[in-house]
Amino acid sequence: MITAITIKSNFLKLFFLFLSITAASFLKAQPAKFSAHGIGGGGAFYCPVVNPNNNKEMFITTDMSDLYHSMDGGNSWSVTNFNYYASCGSLSQVLFTNTPNLLYSICQNTTAQVNQAVLSTDEGTTWAPLATDPSGGNGVYYIAVNP
């Protein structure tokens, strides 16, 4: 005959068994050591672009204001110094030209809080605003170049 004490005892045994298995699976699921598996910090990537004259060179921007540059087809990446370039996400596509090392893009002017057209003459290592602001200080939202 099954009694209330037997049912309670069996329930407690099953409960502790379930609890032990669950705790063991949580402990085993945690990685012993963290290792990065690529660039990124939880944000989104925008505007990947490959140099039409060198398919090993590419740029990609993020919504975290970074501009990443690769010279080996994406095997390794370097981030552009934020003092020169602050990405404005999906607007910040890098544009290549037929002139070696000359690049154009849009980045955020963090002082004026507007987007500005910028150029680089050293393969994207440093960036500077155009000599004349085509927006008159109102912000740039699209740029095109004639290679």
Side-chain angles (χ1 to χ4, degrees):
M1 179 170 169
I2 300 176
T3 65
I5 293 174
T6 306
I7 293 173
K8 186 176 181 181
S9 175
N10 288 340
F11 174 77
L12 286 174
K13 287 178 188 175
L14 286 174
F15 175 74
F16 284 117
L17 178 64
F18 172 76
L19 190 61
S20 299
I21 292 170
T22 303
S25 68
F26 279 119
L27 292 174
K28 187 153 179 85
Q30 301 306 312
K33 179 181 142 194
F34 174 79
S35 98
H37 293 285
I39 59 176
F45 291 97
Y46 296 99
C47 304
V49 62
V50 177
N51 183 342
N53 302 312
N54 174 5
N55 64 3
K56 297 284 187 183
E57 182 180 18
M58 50 185 81
F59 286 91
I60 192 165
T61 61
T62 74
D63 63 352
M64 304 297 287
S65 78
D66 293 323
L67 172 66
Y68 288 94
H69 185 206
S70 176
M71 291 296 289
D72 59 7
N75 290 317
S76 64
W77 295 85
S78 61
V79 65
T80 303
N81 186 319
F82 69 90
N83 288 313
Y84 295 113
Y85 192 99
S87 165
C88 46
S90 61
L91 298 175
S92 292
Q93 182 175 4
V94 174
L95 302 172
F96 290 93
T97 67
N98 288 335
T99 305
N101 304 328
L102 179 61
L103 306 170
Y104 290 92
S105 187
I106 298 173
C107 77
Q108 187 179 69
N109 179 329
T110 54
T111 304
Q113 295 296 309
V114 296
N115 302 331
Q116 63 185 6
V118 292
L119 66 88
S120 173
T121 57
D122 57 9
E123 293 183 333
T125 302
T126 60
W127 294 83
L130 299 182
T132 304
D133 180 1
S135 75
N138 294 313
V140 176
Y141 295 92
Y142 183 80
I143 188 171
V145 296
N146 184 354

